[in-house]
Structures are given as C-alpha cells and as structure tokens.
Amino acid sequence: QVQLVESGGGLVQAGGSLRLSCVVSGSIFSINAGAWYRQAPGKQRELVAGFTSSGSTNYAEAVKGRFTISRDNAKNTVYLQMNNMKPEDTAVYYCKATVRPGVSVVAFDYWGQGTQVTVSS
C-alpha cells in the first residue's frame, strides 16, 4: 500500500512564501514522476508543476518563475517551494506521484489528501 501525505499549507500574506511537502510511504520500488495540482473553489483541478522520470520539469504559466518543484529521493519526498505568492494562488494543493510498488512491474498514480493554501491580500 502506497500513501501520500502533504503538509506545509497555511495562511500567508501576498508576497510571502510557503513550502509544501509530500511524503510517499509504503512498499515503494521507485517514484517515477511527481506533480502538484491545485483546485480553487468553483474551479477545476489544474496542474501547477511536475517532473518526469528523466528529471525534466514543467510549470503552469501562472507560477513560472515563482514556484519550484523538487524531490529528495532518500526521503521519498516531493516539495513545492512557492515564492512571491499571490491571492490567486489560494487553493487546495494536491500531490500526485507515479509510483512503482515493490511487488509490481507497473507504476500507478497515487494522490494525497490535499492541503489548504490561503494567500491574503
């Protein structure tokens, strides 16, 4: 069983910073890819940032230059560093990891439960 647990959300003023963490636990052979999504009230969930197995990263236009996704393989953790935050960044942030469980030859997508981020103006 693979689980993702996010942390680091909270309330921050515009211009401030937060770092989200996503710990992947369980029977893990490898973490092939990871991403952060967000969903604001009344809106669809959208991709914020992601990385692939080759190490390439991609970002939504709205966060380029402000957010950085990274990983710590030793800790099975994915991070999202958010700087110069804006009120429009307010949303529930979800972590997704493409994980190959220890007993499988196939990788699956797993989601965390989400963490609330609120940016005040």
Side-chain angles (χ1 to χ4, degrees), residues 86-101:
K86 304 176 180 181
E88 50 264 42
D89 294 322
T90 296
V92 177
Y93 284 70
Y94 297 90
C95 176
K96 186 183 82 170
T98 303
V99 179
R100 179 181 164 186

Side-chain angles (χ1 to χ4, degrees), residues 11-23:
L11 175 64
V12 64
Q13 289 188 332
S17 299
L18 283 176
R19 188 176 81 156
L20 304 182
S21 299
C22 173
V23 177

Side-chain angles (χ1 to χ4, degrees), residues 68-80:
T68 302
I69 190 170
S70 62
R71 64 187 295 182
D72 185 329
N73 291 331
K75 296 181 179 180
N76 286 335
T77 301
V78 179
Y79 301 100
L80 184 68

Side-chain angles (χ1 to χ4, degrees), residues 59-68 81-84:
Y59 296 90
E61 283 296 325
V63 307
K64 279 183 180 179
R66 301 188 298 120
F67 290 11
T68 302
Q81 177 67 44
M82 304 184 290
N83 298 328
N84 189 22

